[in-house]
C-alpha cells in the first residue's frame, strides 16, 4: 500500500455551500483550539441541503440533528457540526435523513439546515468538518480555502500508512465468537476485550475512572458478560453499584482507561456526559438521587485524593521534625514545609470546584474562580468576626447591599463548592441561550461568577455548612458516647461499604473533618480496616502454592498497606469469601482497639504507609503508639484467621468449577 493509494486518501467535499476558512478562525474555542482534531470551517452558508463530506459509514447522528459522524474506508473519522451551540435549538433547524450504520457516498444529501432559524436564535451558522481521530490516523490534511459550492471538492485527507493487520479469532468462555485485531496488545488489547464484552461501544453512555476502577454508565447492563470480563487478564473483578458498571483494574487503571477512551470513538461534543433514564416511583427517585450524589462526589474527589494523601504525609513528617527538635515552629523552614502540606487543604474549594464542574458539565475554570472567591483572604477574615444577631446559631457577620447574612469559613470546605458547581451547571446553559455568541467570551464568565457567588455566599453556602457541620457533630457525638463500641462497629463493617462504592459518601466527611479541625478519629478507625484487609491477603500470598494467586495477592497486600484495598478485596478476599470475613474480624479488632485507646489521626493517609498521620503536631503522644498496637492487632488477627480458617488452594479450584457450571447453563446469576 502506498501513501497515495485510494485506500489512504479521502476526497472531502463541502457539506454545505459557503466560504472555506481555517479551523483556527472558527468562533468557538473548542474547535479553533483543535482539541477535537484538524479540520476546516465554512462561513456564510445559505443553508438548504447538507451532503456527506466523504464516502463511508454513518457512525453517529446527534439526537438534535446538529452533528453527523462518518467513518471513511481509510479509517479516518469525520464529524460535521452544523452551527455553533446549535444543540440548544433542540433540532428545530435540522432534518437529518440518514441513521447510524447507513452507507453514504461523498456529495449524497443527508439532511437540511435552516439558517434563518439559527440566526433568529442568535447562533452562528458556522459549520465545521473535523477529523476526530487526527492524532492516531491523520497524516496530512490539504484544504482549499475560499468560496465553495455544495458538494465540490475542498480538501484531501491522507491517512497514516501501516502494515495490513490480521484479525485473530478468539472465543469467550461463554462460547461467543469475537474478533480482536492482532495489532492490539497490552492495555489496548484489554480495553478492546472489555468494550466487546460490555456490549460494545454503542452500549456505553459515558465512562470515567477512580483509583482502581473503570466506571461505565451502560445503556443496558444485561448486555454485559460479567463472568468473561472478570476472567480477563488484567481485570480483578466486576462490581455493579450506584448505577455504574465498575471494572476493577488496580494500579494500572489509568492506562486501561486511556486505552478504552481512545477506542470508544467520537461522541457528540455537545451531549451531556451522562444520560440516564429518570425513575417513575418515589423509591426509584431516592435511589436515583443517592446514585447521582455518589457519582458527583466520586468524580469530584478522585482527582485530588492523591494530593490529600501526599499532604497528609508531609504534615506527619513536619510533626516529626518538630517533635525531635530538628526545626522550630517559628523558623522559615517550618513555614515553607507547612505551606506545602496545608495548601491543598486551604484552597480545597478551588480544586474541588474544578473537578466538580467537569463532572457536572459546567466550565471548570469559572467554578474554580468561584472557589477562589470563597477562599479570598478578606472573606476568610470576615468569617471570623462575630455579630449580635444570629440565625440557627450562625452570626450575621456581614451584609450585601444592606442584606445581613452569615459569612462562613469556606477554606478547607468541600460541599459548598460542589453545590456551586451544580448551580453553575444550571446557570451556564441559560446564560448561553440569552447572550449572543459574539459576547459570550466575556459576559458568560462575568454573570456566572457574580450570580453563583452571590447565591452561594448569601443563601446556599451557609445552609450547606450548617448541614455538613451538623453531620460531623452527630458522627463525633456517636463516637464520644462509646469510642470502643463505635470503633468496633465501624472497623467490622467499613470495608463492606467499599464493595458498593458507598465509602465515597464518607471520604469527603473525613477530608473536611481533617481540613476543619486538623484531625479525625473516624479516619483512624478506617485505617485499621485497611491494615486488616492487607493482613488477610498477605496470609494468602504466603500460604498459597499457586503462582496465579501469588501474582494477585502479593501486589494486593502492598496496595492495602499503602491505603488502597480494592485490589485485595476484589482480587482475592471477596472471591474466596471466608478471607473477607476473616479480614473484617481483623478490622473489628483493630477498630475496637483504636477506639479504646482514643487514637486520633492528623493526616488523610491511612494504613501502614500513613504512620506519620498519627503524629500529633503538638508532640508525639499515645495516638502514635495506639496506632501501632491497633494495626498490629488488626494485621495479626486477619493473618492468623485467614491462615487457619480462611483459605486453602482447593478453594481456587472450587471457584473455577462453579464459574464453569454457571457459564455452561447461562445461569442468570452469573450476569
Amino acid at each position: 500500500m502506498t501513501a497515495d493509494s485510494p485506500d489512504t486518501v479521502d476526497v472531502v467535499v463541502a457539506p454545505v455551500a459557503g466560504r472555506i476558512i481555517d479551523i483556527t478562525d472558527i468562533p468557538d474555542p473548542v474547535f479553533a483550539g483543535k482539541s477535537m482534531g484538524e479540520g476546516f470551517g465554512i462561513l456564510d452558508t445559505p443553508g438548504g441541503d447538507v451532503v456527506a463530506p466523504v464516502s463511508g459509514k454513518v457512525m453517529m447522528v446527534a439526537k438534535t440533528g446538529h452533528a453527523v459522524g462518518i467513518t471513511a474506508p481509510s479509517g479516518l473519522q469525520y464529524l460535521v457540526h452544523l452551527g455553533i451551540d446549535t444543540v440548544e435549538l433542540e433540532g428545530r433547524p435540522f432534518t437529518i435523513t440518514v441513521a447510524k450504520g447507513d452507507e453514504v457516498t461523498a456529495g449524497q444529501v443527508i439532511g437540511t439546515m435552516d439558517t434563518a432559524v439559527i440566526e433568529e436564535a442568535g447562533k452562528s451558522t458556522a459549520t465545521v468538518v473535523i477529523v476526530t481521530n487526527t492524532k492516531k490516523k491523520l497524516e496530512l490534511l490539504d484544504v482549499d480555502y475560499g468560496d465553495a459550492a455544495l458538494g465540490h471538492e475542498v480538501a484531501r485527507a491522507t491517512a497514516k500508512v501501516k502494515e495490513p493487520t490480521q484479525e485473530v479469532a478468539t472465543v469467550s468462555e461463554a462460547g461467543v465468537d469475537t474478533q480482536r485485531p492482532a495489532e492490539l496488545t497490552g492495555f489496548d488489547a484489554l480495553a478492546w476485550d472489555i468494550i466487546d464484552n460490555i456490549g460494545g461501544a454503542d452500549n456505553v453512555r459515558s465512562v470515567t475512572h477512580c483509583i482502581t476502577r473503570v466506571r461505565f454508565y451502560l445503556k443496558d447492563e444485561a448486555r454485559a458478560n460479567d463472568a468473561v470480563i472478570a476472567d480477563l487478564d488484567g481485570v480483578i473483578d466486576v462490581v455493579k453499584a450506584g448505577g455504574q458498571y465498575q471494572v476493577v483494574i488496580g494500579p494500572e487503571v489509568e492506562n486501561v482507561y486511556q486505552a478504552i477512551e481512545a477506542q470508544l470513538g467520537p461522541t457528540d461534543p455537545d451531549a451531556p456526559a451522562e444520560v440516564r433514564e429518570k425513575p417513575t416511583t418515589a423509591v426509584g427517585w431516592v435511589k436515583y438521587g443517592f446514585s447521582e450524589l455518589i457519582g458527583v462526589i466520586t468524580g469530584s474527589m478522585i482527582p485530588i485524593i492523591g494530593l490529600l494523601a501526599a499532604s497528609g504525609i508531609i504534615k506527619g513528617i513536619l510533626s516529626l521534625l518538630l517533635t525531635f527538635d530538628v526545626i522550630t515552629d517559628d523558623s522559615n523552614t517550618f513555614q515553607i514545609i507547612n505551606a506545602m502540606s496545608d495548601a491543598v487543604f486551604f484552597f480545597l474549594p478551588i480544586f474541588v470546584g474544578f473537578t466538580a464542574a467537569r463532572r457536572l458539565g459546567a466550565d471548570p475554570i469559572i467554578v474554580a474562580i468561584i472557589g477562589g472567591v470563597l477562599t479570598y483572604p478578606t472573606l476568610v477574615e470576615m468569617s471570623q468576626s462575630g455579630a449580635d444577631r444570629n440565625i440557627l446559631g450562625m452570626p450575621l457577620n456581614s451584609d450585601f447591599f444592606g442584606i445581613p447574612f452569615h459569612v462562613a469559613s469556606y477554606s478547607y470546605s468541600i460541599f459548598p463548592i460542589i453545590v456551586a458547581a451544580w448551580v453553575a451547571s444550571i446557570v451556564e446553559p441559560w446564560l448561553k441561550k440569552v447572550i449572543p455568541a459574539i459576547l459570550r467570551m466575556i459576559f458568560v464568565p462575568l454573570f456566572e461568577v457574580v450570580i453563583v457567588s452571590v447565591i452561594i455566599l448569601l443563601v446556599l453556602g451557609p445552609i450547606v455548612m450548617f448541614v455538613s457541620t451538623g453531620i460531623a457533630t452527630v458522627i463525633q457525638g456517636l463516637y464520644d458516647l462509646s469510642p470502643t463500641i463505635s470503633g468496633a462497629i465501624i472497623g467490622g463493617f467499613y470495608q463492606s461499604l467499599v464493595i458498593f462504592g458507598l465509602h465515597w459518601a464518607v471520604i469527603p466527611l473525613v477530608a473536611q473533618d481533617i481540613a476543619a479541625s486538623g484531625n479525625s478519629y473516624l479516619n483512624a478507625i478506617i485505617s485499621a480496616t485497611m491494615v486488616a484487609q492487607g493482613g488477610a491477603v498477605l496470609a494468602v500470598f504466603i500460604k498459597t502454592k499457586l503462582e496465579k494467586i501469588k501474582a494477585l495477592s502479593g501486589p494486593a497486600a502492598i496496595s492495602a498497606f499503602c491505603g488502597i484495598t480494592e485490589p485485595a478485596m476484589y482480587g482475592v478476599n471477596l472471591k474466596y469469601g471466608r478471607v473477607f470475613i476473616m479480614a473484617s474480624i481483623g478490622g473489628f479488632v483493630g477498630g475496637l482497639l483504636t477506639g479504646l485507646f482514643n487514637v486520633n489521626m492528623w493526616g488523610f493517609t491511612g494504613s501502614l504507609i500513613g504512620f506519620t498521620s498519627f503524629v500529633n503536631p503538638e508532640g508525639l503522644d499515645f495516638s502514635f503508639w495506639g496506632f501501632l498496637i491497633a494495626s498490629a492487632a488488626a494485621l495479626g488477627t486477619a493473618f492468623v484467621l485467614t491462615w487457619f480458617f480462611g483459605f486453602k488452594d482447593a478453594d481456587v479450584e472450587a471457584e473455577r468449577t462453579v464459574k464453569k457450571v454457571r457459564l455452561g447453563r447461562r445461569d442468570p446469576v452469573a450476569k
Side-chain angles (χ1 to χ4, degrees):
M1 185 182 293
T2 61
D4 58 354
S5 164
D7 291 332
T8 62
V9 179
D10 296 331
V11 173
V12 185
V13 305
V16 295
R19 178 165 54 91
I20 309 299
I21 63 169
D22 190 276
I23 187 67
T24 59
D25 293 328
I26 284 291
D28 181 89
V30 174
F31 293 122
K34 299 185 181 180
S35 59
M36 292 287 295
E38 289 283 356
F40 57 88
I42 309 173
L43 298 183
D44 306 327
T45 177
D49 286 341
V50 178
V51 303
V54 293
S55 299
K57 187 175 183 178
V58 177
M59 59 184 176
M60 185 274 289
V61 177
K63 291 181 179 180
T64 54
H66 71 287
V68 178
I70 299 172
T71 300
S74 65
L76 294 175
Q77 298 171 337
Y78 298 82
L79 179 72
V80 181
H81 198 283
L82 304 172
I84 304 299
D85 289 332
T86 46
V87 64
E88 299 169 6
L89 303 183
E90 300 177 342
R92 293 193 301 276
F94 311 109
T95 301
I96 302 299
T97 57
V98 293
K100 182 177 179 180
D102 290 351
E103 295 286 345
V104 296
T105 57
Q108 174 185 332
V109 175
I110 60 174
T112 61
M113 176 171 69
D114 190 335
T115 54
V117 174
I118 298 173
E119 290 169 347
E120 287 173 5
K123 309 295 182 184
S124 170
T125 60
T127 292
V128 186
V129 178
I130 294 288
V131 181
T132 56
N133 56 351
T134 289
K135 290 184 179 179
K136 295 186 70 174
K137 291 282 189 179
L138 184 64
E139 180 73 32
L140 177 67
L141 180 65
D142 182 22
V143 182
D144 299 328
Y145 299 111
D147 294 336
L150 178 68
H152 281 206
E153 180 181 338
V154 293
R156 289 147 301 283
T158 305
K160 292 178 179 177
V161 180
K162 61 183 178 181
E163 294 301 317
T165 62
Q166 292 179 300
E167 298 292 324
V168 293
T170 61
V171 181
S172 70
E173 290 191 35
V176 180
D177 291 334
T178 58
Q179 296 286 331
R180 184 210 299 158
E183 64 179 11
L184 296 182
T185 58
F187 298 122
D188 292 327
L190 177 57
W192 191 95
D193 289 337
I194 292 173
I195 293 171
D196 184 55
N197 283 287
I198 59 174
D202 64 343
N203 194 35
V204 179
R205 294 190 189 277
S206 64
V207 61
T208 185
H209 75 94
C210 61
I211 298 174
T212 57
R213 317 179 197 188
V214 179
R215 297 166 176 259
F216 294 93
Y217 285 93
L218 301 181
K219 297 175 183 176
D220 182 4
E221 285 191 357
R223 291 170 59 183
N225 197 328
D226 306 350
V228 172
I229 296 173
D231 273 351
L232 293 172
D233 288 337
V235 172
I236 296 174
D237 206 352
V238 170
V239 180
K240 300 176 185 178
Q244 299 173 339
Y245 189 90
Q246 304 172 10
V247 181
V248 185
I249 302 295
E252 300 289 0
V253 64
E254 190 165 349
N255 292 321
V256 176
Y257 170 76
Q258 289 174 352
I260 287 172
E261 193 176 40
Q263 292 181 35
L264 282 177
T267 57
D268 176 7
D270 292 314
E274 172 184 325
V275 182
R276 299 175 61 192
E277 293 182 6
K278 298 296 189 295
T280 56
T281 64
V283 174
W285 273 107
V286 171
K287 291 181 178 179
Y288 176 85
F290 186 73
S291 171
E292 290 290 290
L293 177 62
I294 294 296
V296 171
I297 292 174
T298 302
S300 303
M301 294 297 296
I302 282 171
I304 61 170
I305 287 294
L307 284 172
L308 294 175
S311 296
I313 292 174
I314 297 174
K315 278 180 177 290
I317 293 173
L318 184 62
S319 297
L320 287 174
L321 293 175
L322 288 172
T323 298
F324 294 104
D325 297 324
V326 178
I327 61 174
T328 60
D329 59 8
D330 59 354
S331 67
N332 291 336
T333 301
F334 172 85
Q335 297 300 333
I336 292 171
I337 299 176
N338 188 55
M340 294 177 188
S341 68
D342 204 42
V344 66
F345 287 101
F346 187 87
F347 297 110
L348 207 52
I350 297 176
F351 306 129
V352 175
F354 186 91
T355 56
R358 286 200 307 182
R359 174 62 177 74
L360 291 165
D363 188 312
I365 298 298
I366 294 176
V367 179
I369 292 298
I370 295 168
V373 172
L374 298 184
T375 57
Y376 195 71
T378 304
L379 293 186
V380 173
E381 292 177 11
M382 196 181 298
S383 70
Q384 297 169 354
S385 62
D388 295 334
R389 292 177 296 169
N390 69 78
I391 179 171
L392 297 176
M394 299 183 294
L396 300 177
N397 50 10
S398 186
D399 68 89
F400 186 73
F401 287 105
I403 302 173
F405 71 100
H406 171 69
V407 178
S409 179
Y410 295 107
S411 293
Y412 304 96
S413 68
I414 293 173
F415 296 109
I417 194 63
I418 292 179
V419 174
W422 170 70
V423 174
S425 71
I426 297 172
V427 170
E428 192 173 306
W430 176 77
L431 289 173
K432 288 182 176 180
K433 285 184 179 180
V434 300
I435 298 176
I438 195 172
L439 300 175
R440 284 181 193 163
M441 183 175 292
I442 297 175
F443 287 99
V444 168
L446 168 64
F447 287 116
E448 188 171 342
V449 168
V450 171
I451 293 172
V452 178
S453 296
V454 169
I455 291 174
I456 295 300
L457 287 172
L458 269 64
V459 183
L460 296 182
I463 294 174
V464 172
M465 289 298 288
F466 177 78
V467 173
S468 61
T469 302
I471 293 173
T473 301
V474 169
I475 292 174
Q476 187 63 48
L478 292 174
Y479 176 85
D480 291 339
L481 284 175
S482 177
T484 305
I485 294 175
S486 298
I489 294 174
I490 296 170
F493 292 101
Y494 178 79
Q495 291 296 326
S496 297
L497 298 180
V498 178
I499 299 173
F500 304 102
L502 299 180
H503 62 303
W504 284 106
V506 179
I507 287 174
L509 295 174
V510 170
Q512 185 153 314
D513 193 19
I514 294 173
S517 64
N519 56 71
S520 173
Y521 290 95
L522 174 60
N523 205 30
I525 300 169
I526 293 171
S527 175
T529 71
M530 297 174 178
V531 175
Q533 292 293 328
V537 78
L538 179 63
V540 173
F541 171 72
I542 295 175
K543 184 176 183 180
T544 185
K545 293 180 172 60
L546 301 175
E547 286 303 319
K548 180 178 180 181
I549 301 301
K550 278 190 179 295
L552 278 173
S553 55
I558 294 172
S559 293
F561 294 142
C562 290
I564 301 174
T565 57
E566 284 95 336
M569 289 173 58
Y570 294 115
V572 178
N573 298 3
L574 282 170
K575 278 189 175 181
Y576 314 106
R578 294 195 311 279
V579 181
F580 182 73
I581 294 172
M582 302 304 132
S584 296
I585 295 174
F588 173 88
V589 172
L592 183 147
L593 292 176
T594 300
L596 180 65
F597 297 141
N598 285 311
V599 176
N600 204 349
M601 192 170 174
W602 289 268
F604 187 80
T605 313
S607 197
L608 298 184
I609 198 175
F611 72 96
T612 61
S613 297
F614 294 86
V615 179
N616 190 334
E618 297 180 2
L620 198 65
D621 61 14
F622 193 74
S623 278
F624 181 76
W625 308 114
F627 153 73
L628 293 180
I629 295 170
S631 295
L635 192 158
T637 301
F639 185 97
V640 171
L641 290 177
T642 300
W643 184 278
F644 288 106
F645 309 110
F647 178 82
K648 54 184 182 296
D649 283 343
D651 295 338
V652 179
E653 295 302 323
E655 187 262 349
R656 287 176 181 166
T657 302
V658 170
K659 189 167 285 187
K660 287 178 181 177
V661 170
R662 283 183 175 177
L663 285 170
R665 293 172 51 213
R666 303 297 289 163
D667 192 332
V669 174
K671 293 299 290 177

